[in-house]
Amino acid sequence: MVPAIPYLPSELVTLRYENCDIRDLLSIWAKQLNMSYTVATDVQGVVSIDAKSALAFQTLSQLLAPLGATFTIEGGIVNIFKQAGVLPDLEQVVPLFRVTGETRFSALCRLTRIGNFSIEAEPGVSLGRAIRVDARGASVRMLLKQILGPDLAAEARKGYVSILQSNRAPQGGG
């Protein structure tokens, strides 16, 4: 959903990138539109987009949503910032994710950069086991399940994902 702003230019943009840093994509977006913008320091992460001749501000919303960010326009300048207390988007689709022989911890670190969330493991949770994951078009939730295996579970909290022993996971936890 596009935020309410004073005007919505009808310019179209084309962006086709996989696993690209949001700041690089914002720069490309702004150059295509000859627009000025600011980005809050906490807006970080990696996103993918496949938009061909799409409305500029719908594309911007699509870029920012997985990161829990939004924007306003004031004086012709696009201001991009994080929304407070946003749950990580576990339904975000990751085009390609491969792990061979890395530890669960290493794989989770890669996934947190893509999904733009942090992790917190409860005491006693071991993330040192080597794993193998080869997934295309999987959601962050499905990748978490593959990385964690049957003995661990993930629960989305505001701004992070908590890793727990699966026998301690709450009903409906991911």
Side-chain angles (χ1 to χ4, degrees):
M1 183 167 97
V2 176
I5 52 179
Y7 69 94
L8 277 175
S10 59
E11 286 95 347
L12 302 177
V13 294
T14 297
L15 293 173
R16 289 183 165 173
Y17 295 93
E18 286 188 18
N19 299 328
C20 191
D21 184 87
I22 186 63
R23 292 175 178 272
D24 294 337
L25 283 175
L26 290 171
S27 176
I28 293 165
W29 178 88
K31 283 179 186 173
Q32 283 188 27
L33 297 165
N34 196 28
M35 294 203 65
S36 298
Y37 68 100
T38 64
V39 183
T41 57
D42 61 348
V43 175
Q44 299 178 23
V46 176
V47 293
S48 297
I49 190 163
D50 186 2
K52 182 177 181 182
S53 298
L55 287 172
F57 288 96
Q58 288 177 339
T59 303
L60 180 59
S61 292
Q62 187 180 353
L63 285 171
L64 298 176
L67 305 177
T70 191
F71 67 95
T72 60
I73 297 179
E74 296 173 25
I77 298 173
V78 178
N79 299 296
I80 300 164
F81 55 93
K82 277 280 212 186
Q83 295 174 314
V86 174
L87 288 173
D89 180 7
L90 300 185
E91 302 313 316
Q92 175 186 353
V93 174
V94 179
L96 177 64
F97 192 84
R98 282 195 180 128
V99 174
T100 304
E102 293 178 40
T103 64
R104 289 195 274 197
F105 178 77
S106 175
L108 284 169
C109 287
R110 286 181 44 210
L111 190 58
T112 62
R113 287 191 298 272
I114 293 169
N116 195 39
F117 58 85
S118 57
I119 57 170
E120 176 185 87
E122 75 176 6
V125 167
S126 172
L127 299 174
R129 189 179 91 204
I131 59 166
R132 177 183 165 85
V133 175
D134 189 0
R136 290 180 184 272
S139 69
V140 169
R141 180 182 310 280
M142 292 306 299
L143 290 171
L144 280 168
K145 286 181 180 181
Q146 289 182 34
I147 292 168
L148 298 176
D151 57 324
L152 298 176
E155 179 180 308
R157 309 279 174 106
K158 288 189 176 181
Y160 69 97
V161 171
S162 182
I163 308 298
L164 358 138
Q165 298 292 335
S166 62
N167 60 352
R168 300 224 10 224
Q171 292 295 327

